[in-house]
Amino acid sequence: MDGIFYVIAGVAIVLLLNWVRQRYASFVAQSPDDYAQDDTQFDVRRHLNGPIVCEGVIYGPLGRVTSRFVGEFDCEWTGNSGVMREHFRYHDGSTQDRQWNLSLGNDGRIKATASDVVGEGMGVQLGASVQLKYRFQLPDSAGGHVLDTVDWMYLAPNGTIVNRSQFRKFGIKVAELVATMRPAEQAIKEAA
């Protein structure tokens, strides 16, 4: 009987430690406050403005690349309201278009909507980072599932934006995206 108790206690400890790690020491545990002291300021109206090129990969649940893509974005801002049109071309020849409608509050808070976003995405720009959380609905051809999404964008010293996003279902990571974004006319240059 003692052996069963130790097994159950061991499993409980492992589950608790995993929960603590996910809650306090993982990608989704980041907070915009973690980047507040950075001298570089990410301003979505400036850094996500005009024509932008994007390159990236999507990892599946097993950590292997399942898709590669390039994107062409066009972003326009009028005051604190912006529209970002995205056109993606994937390695298999398929394409995808999305339009984000963005609203930036004077406190750095961001509201975002798109046709495949359920409800309204909420985020914040602080320091050299932008965080955006939203619920993303996959197309019917991919099952139509709704995924909880956390996007983090980090401003590199040369103005390139590094984007990392995780997509979760029932709290379990099912996909991850890593991409770069930079002004279309800007050549890649050395970091300062």
Side-chain angles (χ1 to χ4, degrees):
M1 199 58 131
D2 285 342
I4 292 174
F5 171 77
Y6 289 121
V7 168
I8 292 172
V11 168
I13 289 170
V14 167
L15 290 174
L16 178 63
L17 289 174
N18 190 43
W19 178 82
V20 168
R21 184 185 70 77
Q22 286 289 339
R23 179 82 171 119
Y24 299 105
S26 70
F27 174 76
V28 294
Q30 294 179 86
S31 164
D33 291 333
D34 296 340
Y35 304 99
Q37 300 305 315
D38 196 309
D39 291 337
T40 305
Q41 297 298 307
F42 193 143
D43 182 348
V44 294
R45 294 166 301 185
R46 178 173 158 231
H47 295 102
L48 292 176
N49 195 19
I52 294 173
V53 294
C54 174
E55 301 94 2
V57 294
I58 299 173
Y59 300 90
L62 301 177
R64 292 181 176 89
V65 172
T66 59
S67 186
R68 301 177 313 278
F69 63 88
V70 294
E72 297 170 358
F73 303 171
D74 186 32
C75 309
E76 299 174 22
W77 287 88
T78 304
N80 284 353
S81 297
V83 174
M84 182 165 66
R85 292 173 191 85
E86 303 173 328
H87 176 71
F88 294 98
R89 291 184 320 277
Y90 294 91
H91 74 280
D92 65 1
S94 64
T95 63
Q96 179 184 25
D97 293 300
R98 175 180 298 114
Q99 177 176 304
W100 287 97
N101 296 298
L102 306 166
S103 175
L104 178 64
N106 292 331
D107 60 355
R109 300 220 176 264
I110 301 166
K111 294 180 182 179
T113 60
S115 62
D116 52 3
V117 170
V118 177
E120 188 173 61
M122 304 296 285
V124 65
Q125 63 179 21
L126 196 58
S129 70
V130 170
Q131 178 204 52
L132 186 62
K133 294 181 177 183
Y134 54 94
R135 302 191 74 219
F136 172 74
Q137 183 163 15
L138 292 171
D140 290 338
S141 61
H145 301 283
V146 175
L147 305 177
D148 295 315
T149 306
V150 177
D151 280 354
W152 276 95
M153 290 178 269
Y154 310 95
L155 187 61
N158 69 353
T160 298
I161 298 166
V162 179
N163 179 209
R164 181 178 178 195
S165 304
Q166 285 190 352
F167 306 88
R168 295 177 179 271
K169 181 77 173 177
F170 304 119
I172 299 168
K173 182 173 72 169
V174 296
E176 183 166 357
L177 175 147
V178 176
T180 60
M181 296 179 272
R182 65 184 184 290
E185 63 278 351
Q186 175 184 336
I188 298 175
K189 57 184 174 181
E190 297 280 331

